[in-house]
Amino acid sequence: MLRSLMTILFVAAFLAGCAKAPPRTAADRQAVDTAHAERVGLAVRKLAAKQAGLEYLSAYAQARIQRGKQGRHFDAVLEVAAPNRLSLRILDDLGQEVAQVVADGESVYYYENRSGRSQRFVQDDQALRKALHLPLSVDDLVDRLLLRLPDSPILQVERENSAAQPPPHWVIRPDDSLRVDAERPQLRLYEAKPSGKAWSYRVDYSDYSKVEGREFPHRIAWSFRKPSISLTLQLQQVAFRPPASRDVDSSFDTKNR
């Protein structure tokens, strides 16, 4: 019972909902010429370099999880720090903490408040899957929340046949595809495709606005193929620097909990 509750709550805090299905047919996208592809590739490299400088994110999140016909809302307080640290506090309708999940780079810890039950796991690529049935590593989870892009060669660039001006572009790489606004540039959708296989998850980024001089999406929607769960994360009170009054390392401490 408690394990099921934690699985739903934690997955809900990060999985994505309502991600818009991208165009999939040849008529919806077309390859661009070499010069155009180079310009888009340069925009992606600039975006990657800019996001590489983002090391920390905190936010208050209003989340909606959708599993089949069943949906639920809840609130959460989120902190992440590159490359692989995570703190999540899940709240009830009264703002009281229901559970917490912490990853410090070596261990993953979760605690369920009402029962007092806790567990610890080695933080490897399978830690979240073993602990909470979440098919994602902590490293990838942190990267997606910080919009950090893996360094990867570009195989092809395609222009989306869209009424939007300028139209979005798709950047096809060995292990992922990116839907980008190349003019700004902004990441609109990240599609993970391990070893060129069918996508395993998608992350839809929208509602961009400026925070501390940086354009950042306030709506992040995750969609996983297996398990088939979606969640929309609406962010508020976004900050890229921890409060000066507090040691940020304490947020990710698993040893003293």
Side-chain angles (χ1 to χ4, degrees):
M1 180 79 175
L2 293 173
R3 177 63 167 268
S4 176
L5 172 63
M6 279 302 302
T7 299
I8 292 172
L9 289 173
F10 184 70
V11 171
F14 292 108
L15 300 182
C18 310
K20 300 176 183 177
R24 306 308 299 167
T25 68
D28 292 324
R29 292 173 6 201
Q30 60 183 2
V32 301
D33 59 43
T34 301
H36 194 148
E38 289 178 353
R39 289 195 294 271
V40 175
L42 177 60
V44 169
R45 289 193 291 274
K46 287 182 178 179
L47 176 62
K50 182 178 181 180
Q51 290 305 126
L54 185 58
E55 297 285 337
Y56 171 88
L57 167 71
S58 67
Y60 173 81
Q62 294 179 320
R64 174 175 173 80
I65 186 173
Q66 192 72 37
R67 187 194 299 260
K69 295 182 179 180
Q70 295 183 339
R72 68 189 322 177
H73 295 269
F74 68 94
D75 297 332
V77 177
L78 169 70
E79 283 185 88
V80 296
N84 55 9
R85 295 193 293 172
L86 160 74
S87 173
L88 172 71
R89 294 169 49 218
I90 301 166
L91 311 177
D92 62 18
D93 293 341
L94 300 177
Q96 301 297 311
E97 185 175 296
V98 174
Q100 58 178 283
V101 180
V102 181
D104 66 6
E106 296 180 357
S107 302
V108 174
Y109 165 87
Y110 86 77
Y111 177 74
E112 205 281 329
N113 290 25
R114 292 175 183 172
S115 68
R117 180 181 177 182
S118 66
Q119 283 189 279
R120 297 178 189 272
F121 300 87
V122 174
Q123 188 173 321
D124 56 19
D125 287 347
Q126 297 297 314
L128 296 183
R129 185 184 291 272
K130 290 184 293 186
L132 300 165
H133 301 233
L134 181 65
L136 194 67
S137 70
V138 175
D139 301 55
D140 284 346
L141 183 58
V142 171
D143 280 348
R144 300 293 79 80
L145 289 167
L146 295 177
L147 280 69
R148 296 165 74 90
L149 298 176
D151 185 18
S152 183
I154 295 175
L155 302 178
Q156 185 169 327
V157 176
E158 301 173 348
R159 179 193 291 112
E160 188 175 302
N161 293 330
S162 168
Q165 292 298 325
H169 287 74
W170 282 85
V171 177
I172 313 302
R173 311 194 305 174
D175 294 320
D176 56 37
S177 295
L178 315 174
R179 185 173 184 261
V180 298
D181 180 341
E183 295 294 325
R184 296 191 174 181
Q186 285 182 352
L187 179 64
R188 293 296 179 175
L189 187 141
Y190 181 92
E191 187 176 72
K193 301 172 66 175
S195 302
K197 299 178 181 178
W199 64 269
S200 57
Y201 68 87
R202 292 171 174 155
V203 190
D204 187 291
Y205 301 98
S206 58
D207 292 355
Y208 275 83
S209 62
K210 280 194 174 182
V211 178
E212 300 176 16
R214 179 191 293 267
E215 291 283 339
F216 194 80
H218 284 60
R219 180 182 180 276
I220 302 179
W222 292 72
S223 179
F224 280 75
R225 185 182 293 276
K226 294 180 181 180
S228 180
I229 302 172
S230 63
L231 169 127
T232 301
L233 202 64
Q234 195 72 40
L235 303 180
Q236 301 175 7
Q237 302 175 25
V238 174
F240 302 137
R241 290 174 291 184
S245 60
R246 180 174 56 77
D247 177 11
V248 67
D249 289 340
S250 64
S251 297
F252 310 109
D253 178 17
T254 65
K255 297 179 177 61
N256 296 312
R257 294 175 186 266

